[in-house]
Amino acid sequence: MLRFYRLTYHFFLRPLIFQLFSAQDAHTQAMTLLARCDISSVAQKLAIWLRHTVEIQQPVNVGGVQLDSPLILAAGFVKGLGFAFEQEATEAEGNIIPGWRTMPNLVGAVEFGSFTRYPRLGNPGTVIWRDVPTQSTQNRVGLKNPGACAAAKFLKRHLPPTPFGVNIAVSPGVEDAQQEEREILEAAGAFLQAEVFPGWMTLNLSCPNTEDDPSGHQSAEKAERLCGALVEALTPFKIPLWVKVSPGLSEMQYRELMRSFTKVGVRAVIATNTLAQPTPDDSGMVAGVGGGKLHQEALRATTCLVEEKQRLDCNVDVIGCGGLLDYQTYQAFRQAGAAAVQYWSALVYEGPLAFAVISRKDL
Ligand SMILES: Cc1cc2nc3c(=O)[nH]c(=O)nc-3n(C[C@H](O)[C@H](O)[C@H](O)COP(=O)(O)O)c2cc1C
């Protein structure tokens, strides 16, 4: 069945989607479809049936969480609508996080977010591109999301059906150390107060699409301060903290970060977010590249972090993310020592059952 699905997707659906829709329009259409599927019991039954039919069960304990499979849908797909004001977001009727039910039922573990303390509309204009020859994506969505309070309120009423994570980020532009810490703690606190207890929480230290300096967010000092505060807040609820880092850091930076994560009790590090590069439309503007073009860099980051983990003999798992598109790239991450993997661009190039395609050698 999976072979039939793959052939149909590669030779019929994908060319049709690419022909009819730009990357951005395809994404918008996918969100509209997901919002409809979320309220359809037939769609949910189909999603569950599909997952059970094609998923290879490979139970794994990663970053303090027990999962059925090491393949996790990365942050940025199920992240919710953008809003300008908190009141507008918290009072919004209807589905403000399209995919909240369908994606977990279809693909299993999902990382929701990123959510910031306050809602964000994200960047205007074209913000998502694809580069088909390299199977890459590029985006400068700019952390569009409903904000932590509205997301928590929504998820309290719409609990995802499988283990899920919540990814939180500092609002772009916030420079003040105390405000950063306050925002992060309030964003995490919004979920805890609403009694929404994710399997893990991820601090997104890396936001290349918001015109912030990505590595400025990732100094060992800053990582230690923010992660330390979050670990303290999450420990009473037994929620492990994961951290997401950028590609393109030096080996020394990755090693220093791993030492900081170990010191404060982070349980996993996701390597990596997207890589900032000029956009296809305007070389003066940057956006984060994911998919094929990111793979080698994400693999290098994974390798550095795993080596440091082994040297320190610590329990911070490394999760590979970047250009996970097929069985070969999956094996590359596993051989580099990744305990689990995350994917986003594979949804574009392998379709909704990408997770099953990736884990099969025989396709
Ligand atoms: C449109 C889009 C939006 C994204 N938004 C987020 C986000 O809000 N938070 C985050 O941590 N990562 C975000 N990401 C990055 C992905 O989670 C992932 O790290 C990256 O795409 C690399 O994986 P890939 O090569 O499989 O695409 C986004 C990626 C894309 C393509």
Side-chain angles (χ1 to χ4, degrees), residues 94 267 317:
R267 290 303 316 278
D317 286 330

Side-chain angles (χ1 to χ4, degrees), residues 48-358:
I48 294 168
W49 176 79
L50 274 170
R51 175 158 59 95
H52 287 157
T53 307
V54 298
E55 185 180 60
I56 300 180
Q57 291 265 324
Q58 286 173 274
V60 61
N61 193 305
V62 56
V65 188
Q66 185 66 34
L67 299 175
D68 286 346
S69 152
L71 280 102
I72 305 166
L73 177 57
F77 194 77
V78 187
K79 67 184 301 173
L81 310 179
F83 289 87
F85 304 104
E86 182 147 73
Q87 195 179 352
E88 187 194 354
T90 48
E91 289 176 3
E93 300 286 329
N95 189 348
I96 63 165
I97 309 186
W100 70 270
R101 181 188 271 154
T102 309
M103 291 313 286
N105 272 337
L106 183 65
V107 309
V110 173
E111 190 166 297
F112 283 57
S114 298
F115 301 114
T116 46
R117 166 64 188 86
Y118 300 102
R120 288 178 55 80
L121 280 174
N123 293 322
T126 302
V127 292
I128 308 181
W129 298 264
R130 56 181 172 241
D131 183 53
V132 179
T134 60
Q135 299 202 69
S136 301
T137 55
Q138 194 166 9
N139 90 87
R140 56 186 307 280
V141 172
L143 286 178
K144 170 178 164 178
N145 77 98
C149 290
K153 190 175 164 207
F154 180 85
L155 291 178
K156 167 82 180 158
R157 284 179 284 127
H158 305 87
L159 199 63
T162 58
F164 69 101
V166 163
N167 178 311
I168 55 172
V170 174
S171 299
V174 171
E175 297 291 341
D176 179 66
Q178 279 180 349
Q179 194 186 338
E180 265 181 349
E181 197 172 318
R182 196 169 55 239
E183 280 207 1
I184 283 296
L185 289 175
E186 286 180 7
F191 291 92
L192 304 176
Q193 278 151 28
E195 295 180 350
V196 173
F197 301 121
W200 71 93
M201 207 170 256
T202 298
L203 172 62
N204 183 6
L205 273 179
S206 51
C207 291
N209 317 320
T210 53
E211 281 149 25
D212 265 8
D213 164 19
S215 39
H217 274 287
Q218 291 158 93
S219 66
E221 181 272 328
K222 186 179 278 194
E224 218 169 291
R225 183 166 45 76
L226 293 181
C227 295
L230 265 179
V231 169
E232 210 179 302
L234 296 176
T235 301
F237 299 91
K238 296 190 169 53
I239 299 172
L241 179 68
W242 297 5
V243 179
K244 188 164 181 180
V245 295
S246 277
L249 304 185
S250 70
E251 192 178 326
M252 204 176 76
Q253 278 175 295
Y254 287 124
R255 288 183 189 280
E256 272 176 14
L257 283 171
M258 190 49 127
R259 286 199 287 276
S260 300
F261 298 153
T262 306
K263 198 163 146 192
V264 296
V266 169
R267 290 303 316 278
V269 49
I270 304 165
T272 63
N273 207 321
T274 51
L275 185 64
Q277 294 209 330
T279 65
D281 305 340
D282 177 355
S283 58
M285 193 176 268
V286 294
V289 168
K293 281 195 211 167
L294 175 64
H295 183 62
Q296 285 311 319
E297 192 46 48
L299 205 54
R300 182 184 74 84
T302 301
T303 307
C304 283
L305 289 161
V306 169
E307 277 173 13
E308 191 61 15
K309 170 192 161 83
Q310 286 165 349
R311 208 184 62 76
L312 297 170
D313 193 21
C314 65
N315 70 349
V316 185
D317 286 330
V318 182
I319 298 173
C321 179
L324 176 72
L325 293 161
D326 51 24
Y327 188 76
Q328 283 69 35
T329 44
Y330 179 38
Q331 284 312 305
F333 275 126
R334 298 312 295 261
Q335 277 156 20
V341 284
Q342 292 194 345
Y343 62 94
W344 198 115
S345 300
L347 283 180
V348 174
Y349 294 101
E350 293 295 344
L353 299 185
F355 68 98
V357 170
I358 289 166

